[in-house]
DNA sequence: GGACACATGTAACGGGTTACATGATTTC
DNA sequence: GAAATCATGTAACCCGTTACATGTGTCC
């Protein structure tokens, strides 16, 4: 029973809808601009296909949460969307709700690590290298954004307190992935010289080195 | 053109298929067992619904990559699946391929952080607390697994070198998420006492504190 | 005048999720 | 005898992806 959310026949908006609505709350944009903006920041923790982004505003306008205005600059026309009061209210309502789901990771490489005993070590090394290459764009983006804020030139400089929180996470995440792949590769390079017992010892030391130091007071 | 993968009319197996096939390479299981096993470890980086897990072996058997054997213990029968030689070969082939996609994160809370200026700070605090609660199971699981390996009692103790690599990542990730939420909450508690300028300074210091220390030699 | 950025989609497909369903066996 | 675990699914839905399509304006 119950159609997913909607306590009172409310129209089903997805988190994607709110991502778009949220952008409209920041300022007015064309969907092209939002698509580009999302590609620059949001992809890394909330990836959506362009076509999906373009599909959303139709719904928002239909629900009266956003309004479309066609502009002509020269001869080419562009549709600029802006949020309505109802849209702002709906966004605020959503922000007061607890998140629908927690952080979720999809990491095929880790599956390959787990199944590595059935393959060759060279494959695993390639996978780790691939991972480093894949995370590089985030590293680069984070560095660029960091520079923008420190220079005081970021597009949303006045949202700095919140953006820094977001940036903190993203930077930490990118570094975690990259560092993990790096140190894993480094450890692998010692394998050829290690006897079975040495390898086991090395593996155990990895388990030992992560003591989780929680003050144990956490229920 | 081209139907996604299959260079020569090969049947389309998804990464999910290989996750199952990989488990079968470890030993024989019933799907119930695999579903449970995946719930304990794999969910955290490769989440799949149970129904999905149960659907896979049909395909694997159909392709000759696995074989089903019905066992009767008492009166209840259970279907035990085991991998075939063709299955092992296919798995090895897949492991030699580069991953289809890099690490990908889906983190609604981070979207809420970004849009927090349009909501109330109390909402944001709740979101961060929620994040801590959501990551707790991974923290717990990691701790349990760590204990199992250190005690020498893990089910796949002989795969320790690889499992430790996996565990290294998962532990780091869980701690990252938890620590980030914790320190973000701590910072928020100072906001009420901070003037606008102080807040801005605090935010800037977050950007400053993450210098990415890359030796700059990375292309 | 060719490449690139701007601007906006449509069509088809499919993997995955949600929700439900069922019944036997073991354990307390 | 109730509850939990074992064991195995089906049906419907849908969000999101892939791939394609199209044309204008601007820059070099």
């Amino acid at each position: 029973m119950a159609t997913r959310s909607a306590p009172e026949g409310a129209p089903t908006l997805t988190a994607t809808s709110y991502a778009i609505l949220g952008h409209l709350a920041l300022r007015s944009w064309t969907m092209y601009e939002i698509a580009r903006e999302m590609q620059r920041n949001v992809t890394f923790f909330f990836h959506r296909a362009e076509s999906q982004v373009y599909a959303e505003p139709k719904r928002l306008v239909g629900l009266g949460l956003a309004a479309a205005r066609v502009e002509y600059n020269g001869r080419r026309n562009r549709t600029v969307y802006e949020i309505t009061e109802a849209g702002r209210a709906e966004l605020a309502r959503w922000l007061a709700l607890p998140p629908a789901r927690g952080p979720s990771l999809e990491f095929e490489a880790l599956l390959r690590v787990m199944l590595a005993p059935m393959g060759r070590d060279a494959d695993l090394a390639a996978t780790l290298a691939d991972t480093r290459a894949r995370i590089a764009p985030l590293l680069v983006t984070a560095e660029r954004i960091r520079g923008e804020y420190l220079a005081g030139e970021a597009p949303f400089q006045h949202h700095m307190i919140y953006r820094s929180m977001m940036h903190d996470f993203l930077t930490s995440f990118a570094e975690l992935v990259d560092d993990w792949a790096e140190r894993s590769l480094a450890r692998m390079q010692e394998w050829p010289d290690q006897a079975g017992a040495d390898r086991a010892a090395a593996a155990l030391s990895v388990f030992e080195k992560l003591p989780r130091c929680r003050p144990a007071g956490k229920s």
Side-chain angles (χ1 to χ4, degrees), chain A residues 16 20 29-39 48-61 79 81:
Chain A
T16 309
I20 308 294
W29 320 65
T30 66
M31 288 324 287
Y32 178 78
E33 288 170 323
I34 293 189
R36 189 154 44 71
E37 180 74 3
M38 287 184 72
Q39 209 61 37
R48 294 296 179 272
E50 271 203 4
S51 61
Q52 194 71 16
V53 173
Y54 276 104
E56 280 302 333
K58 309 292 173 68
R59 266 207 278 171
L60 296 179
V61 170
T79 309
Y81 292 90

Side-chain angles (χ1 to χ4, degrees), chain A residues 84-105:
Chain A
T84 62
E85 275 315 304
R88 272 183 209 285
E90 177 59 24
L91 179 62
R93 198 185 65 79
W94 181 72
L95 285 171
L97 259 39
R101 52 198 72 237
S104 112
L105 190 65

Side-chain angles (χ1 to χ4, degrees), chain A residues 2-31:
Chain A
T3 46
R4 166 57 104 358
S5 56
E8 2 186 332
T12 319
L13 290 179
T14 63
T16 309
S17 314
Y18 291 103
I20 308 294
L21 191 59
H23 273 83
L24 293 178
L26 298 172
R27 69 170 180 87
S28 299
W29 320 65
T30 66
M31 288 324 287

Side-chain angles (χ1 to χ4, degrees), chain A residues 147-193:
Chain A
E148 286 177 5
Y149 277 96
L150 288 178
E153 299 166 342
F156 296 97
Q157 192 81 23
H158 53 299
H159 286 172
M160 205 168 30
I161 339 158
Y162 304 100
R163 297 285 171 128
S164 69
M165 195 181 280
M166 190 176 121
H167 190 265
D168 181 7
F169 182 88
L170 254 19
T171 308
S172 307
F173 177 70
E175 286 189 0
L176 160 61
V177 173
D178 195 53
D179 289 351
W180 168 76
E182 192 177 31
R183 71 174 171 263
S184 296
L185 276 166
R187 282 174 189 151
M188 282 189 76
Q189 275 165 6
E190 291 171 26
W191 290 357
D193 304 326

